[in-house]
Structures are given as structure tokens and as C-alpha cells.
Amino acid sequence: MAKLSSVLKNERRKAMAEKFGRYRTELRKKANNPNVPEEERAAARLKLAKLPRDTSPIRSTVRCSLTGRPRGTFRKFGLGRTKIREIAMRGEIPGMTKASW
């Protein structure tokens, strides 16, 4: 089980990215538009740089929904590799069986 603080930090990052998402996209469009005057582009870049780091959506990680493990997570199931194996062995995931040859 992952530390609760790590899981909560990731949830906070997701919430901040969602809250500032529209504002960040507007600033990025303005900063990268060659038709906008250079002063406005520079101002947009400065505002973008002054935003908190956690407002960037790339900083949140995909975690296992049961254990909170950050690595070895399958996006399709939202579970870590160990939990997928345990659940598949019990036959709780439809269509998934243990490979044996």
C-alpha cells in the first residue's frame, strides 16, 4: 500500500490541473500565436511561468485504485500488475485467464 500522503498529493494535483486547465490552455495559445504582438506573448509566458507547478496535468500520475502503487499500473483496468494477477486468478475479470502451456 502506498503512503496516503502520496495518494492525496496526486489527487490534489489532479484537482488543480482541472481547475486551471482552461486558463493554462488560453495562456499557451496566446504565448504560441505568432499573430499576437510580442509584448502580449511575453506577458502570457510570464503568467504561465508564475502558475503553480501542480497546475500542469503532466505532474499527476496513474496509480492503482486499490493500493495506490504508482508503477506497473494498467490504464485499462486502473489496477496495479499485482492486483490484476490476484483478481484474474480468482476469475473476477471476465475473459482473462492465467496463461499456461
Side-chain angles (χ1 to χ4, degrees):
M1 185 74 183
K3 285 173 52 176
L4 183 62
S5 61
S6 300
V7 175
L8 293 176
K9 185 190 298 184
N10 195 47
E11 293 301 318
R12 190 188 74 235
R13 285 177 176 163
K14 284 180 185 177
M16 285 187 73
E18 190 172 327
K19 180 181 176 184
F20 286 89
R22 185 176 287 165
Y23 183 60
R24 284 182 67 88
T25 54
E26 288 174 9
L27 285 176
R28 242 183 285 119
K29 283 180 184 177
K30 193 180 281 189
N32 295 331
N33 189 354
N35 299 329
V36 175
E38 189 60 37
E39 299 87 27
E40 289 183 35
R41 291 175 65 189
R45 279 191 220 108
L46 189 63
K47 285 181 184 177
L48 196 58
K50 290 203 179 219
L51 284 175
R53 285 185 177 171
D54 285 345
T55 60
S56 176
I58 202 74
R59 286 180 62 91
S60 64
T61 59
V62 178
R63 289 182 171 267
C64 176
S65 59
L66 297 178
T67 61
R69 190 178 200 283
R71 298 183 182 189
T73 305
F74 289 76
R75 289 174 188 257
K76 182 176 182 180
F77 302 107
L79 298 171
R81 58 183 174 79
T82 54
K83 289 298 171 182
I84 284 181
R85 187 168 191 271
E86 289 173 12
I87 293 171
M89 293 291 278
R90 291 193 303 249
E92 295 177 7
I93 299 177
M96 185 177 278
T97 57
K98 182 181 180 296
S100 60
W101 56 90

